[in-house]
Amino acid sequence: MEVITTGEGPLTEQLRKDGFDVEVIPFRGYRPREIPRVFRSWLRLRKIMSQDYDIVHSHLIKSIVMCRLALIGRPRGLRPKLVSQVPGVVHLQAGWLRRIDRATISADDVTVGSCTDFAAAYRSRGARRTAVSFYGMDTLNFIRELPERDDTARANLGLREGDVAVIMVAHMYPTNVAHFADVGVKGHEVFIDAAAKAHAADARLKFLIVGDEFVGDGAYRRRLEARAALASDSIRFLGHRDDVPVLLALMDVAANPSLSESASYTMMEASLTGLPVVASSVGGLPDTVVDGVTGLLVPPRDVEALSAAFLTLADDAQLRRDMGRAGRIHVQQSFDITKTVDSLERIYDEVLGRG
């Protein structure tokens, strides 16, 4: 087995430690001055893929397109099977990426969605064959390492006895794509507006935002902070944190108002912590959140519905506990890493004609 990454980093180091052959091919970048390097990288990739592999598994849209282009023109019976795994569909909002994706999709032997919705989207786009493989996690180890709820730590976050703390954990994604011009990909603006509205109705509700800009100069975060400062004094930004499981253990509710999302590790971790979850009904979130059982689903961009969900959970501590328990069971049953491995093995067997 050989693994190709786009640069050095912790993942590359860990793969080498685990005994994998790793080759770094730096094909990141879209700017005109980067095109010669990207083209040379594609030639290297094409040469590697001409070797005697049974399966090439690509992940993320640029890697997927690079692999498709490397195989187009080669007889299907004389080339490796191409398994393209789609972690998200934000790229379909950009017209030029959408057109490139559609023009090259015929090279896939199977297009794998990281949630049910993404697989359906690619079926409608003409994929030859689709499958679903959720991103999994080590659920038992996560539960085993959960910290105890610490009232002193809650107080250090400005939370008082009786407060109902709602947490949102997400990178901040500034983007020039028109679809996300007024609300970013992760829906921070919706969360801020809904938080202000809910706090005005119930002062026990307090809101924390964890995460920072994934790329950018900090301007987007500053805009969000300014929006929150004008809206309510109940919203606190914690920035990037490496202790998210510790923070989750201090919370009462977790929220994900994203406009585009896969199954969402944050929602999985929150459910495993025993929290009820509130999420927008997009992408993989309906796979992760069982509406009315493990949490509440609301329409995307809907401030009123999100605020109402916060108020519903704030009013009913028993409902929060029941949803938290149900969420832990659901995530363990559906999103454990062993389930991911099993699903990929089935996909590989089927694409090789062994199923």
Side-chain angles (χ1 to χ4, degrees):
M1 179 182 289
E2 184 169 0
V3 179
I4 294 172
T5 65
T6 59
E8 297 290 347
L11 175 61
T12 304
E13 293 173 7
Q14 187 61 51
L15 287 166
R16 288 184 178 128
K17 286 180 183 177
D18 290 341
F20 290 94
D21 294 327
V22 180
E23 178 146 2
V24 175
I25 300 181
F27 54 76
R28 289 179 179 172
Y30 293 92
R31 297 182 180 90
R33 68 175 182 272
E34 296 169 319
I35 290 176
R37 172 180 52 77
V38 172
F39 181 70
R40 290 192 297 271
S41 296
W42 176 75
L43 291 176
R44 283 180 60 193
L45 177 67
R46 189 168 181 264
K47 183 176 181 180
I48 290 171
M49 289 175 61
S50 68
Q51 299 175 34
D52 190 22
Y53 292 108
D54 295 307
I55 291 175
V56 172
H57 187 141
S58 61
H59 183 259
L60 298 177
I61 186 59
K62 190 166 187 181
S63 301
I64 289 170
V65 170
M66 295 276 277
C67 289
R68 287 172 177 172
L69 292 174
L71 293 179
I72 283 177
R74 293 177 58 183
R76 197 169 288 274
L78 299 177
R79 66 165 177 83
K81 303 294 186 181
L82 181 57
V83 176
S84 296
Q85 184 154 10
V86 181
V89 292
V90 171
H91 61 279
L92 298 180
Q93 300 298 331
W96 63 280
L97 275 174
R98 183 170 63 249
R99 289 189 289 272
I100 290 172
D101 180 64
R102 184 178 289 278
T104 58
I105 195 172
S106 61
D108 291 355
D109 289 280
V110 59
T111 309
V112 181
S114 57
C115 65
T116 306
D117 182 73
F118 295 169
Y122 268 82
R123 275 196 301 276
S124 70
R125 292 180 61 76
R128 293 163 54 86
R129 182 190 303 180
T130 60
V132 177
S133 179
F134 297 133
Y135 293 136
M137 59 180 294
D138 187 344
T139 60
L140 289 176
N141 192 55
F142 185 88
I143 292 171
R144 191 180 300 121
E145 295 182 357
L146 276 174
E148 295 291 329
R149 188 179 179 92
D150 185 340
D151 290 336
T152 300
R154 270 178 64 93
N156 291 337
L157 291 173
L159 301 173
R160 298 172 298 183
E161 185 177 355
D163 282 348
V164 179
V166 182
I167 190 170
M168 175 182 178
V169 182
H171 288 303
M172 298 170 183
Y173 283 97
T175 175
N176 294 323
V177 177
H179 183 72
F180 304 108
D182 58 334
V183 176
V185 176
K186 296 299 180 179
H188 283 86
E189 294 87 348
V190 180
F191 181 82
I192 289 168
D193 293 353
K197 188 174 184 64
H199 177 72
D202 188 338
R204 294 175 302 161
L205 279 161
K206 300 297 190 307
F207 301 88
L208 296 97
I209 297 175
V210 176
D212 210 332
E213 286 191 23
F214 191 61
V215 294
D217 59 4
Y220 180 52
R221 174 176 171 171
R222 290 191 293 273
R223 290 202 304 272
L224 292 175
E225 289 175 327
R227 187 187 191 107
L230 289 172
S232 174
D233 61 359
S234 66
I235 306 167
R236 183 175 177 187
F237 288 75
L238 300 185
H240 174 77
R241 298 286 292 250
D242 293 320
D243 60 344
V244 170
V246 173
L247 291 173
L248 288 173
L250 304 176
M251 299 296 110
D252 301 292
V253 179
N256 186 338
S258 185
L259 306 190
S260 182
E261 190 69 74
S262 184
S264 179
Y265 275 120
T266 300
M267 293 290 93
M268 293 180 205
E269 292 180 350
S271 290
L272 291 173
T273 306
L275 299 181
V277 291
V278 180
S280 47
S281 53
V282 300
L285 290 171
D287 291 320
T288 319
V289 182
V290 182
D291 189 29
V293 178
T294 72
L296 299 172
L297 291 173
V298 300
R301 297 176 181 260
D302 193 329
V303 171
E304 295 285 343
L306 185 59
S307 174
F310 293 152
L311 291 169
T312 295
L313 292 173
D315 283 340
D316 195 334
Q318 186 60 49
L319 179 63
R320 296 200 300 269
R321 287 190 290 270
D322 291 344
M323 285 183 166
R325 282 192 291 267
R328 176 175 289 186
I329 293 169
H330 173 60
V331 171
Q332 285 184 287
Q333 290 179 342
S334 301
F335 296 97
D336 189 79
I337 189 63
T338 58
K339 305 289 186 182
T340 301
V341 173
D342 288 345
S343 66
L344 284 176
E345 286 183 346
R346 284 195 299 272
I347 291 167
Y348 291 163
D349 284 340
E350 289 171 5
V351 81
L352 292 172
R354 299 172 181 167

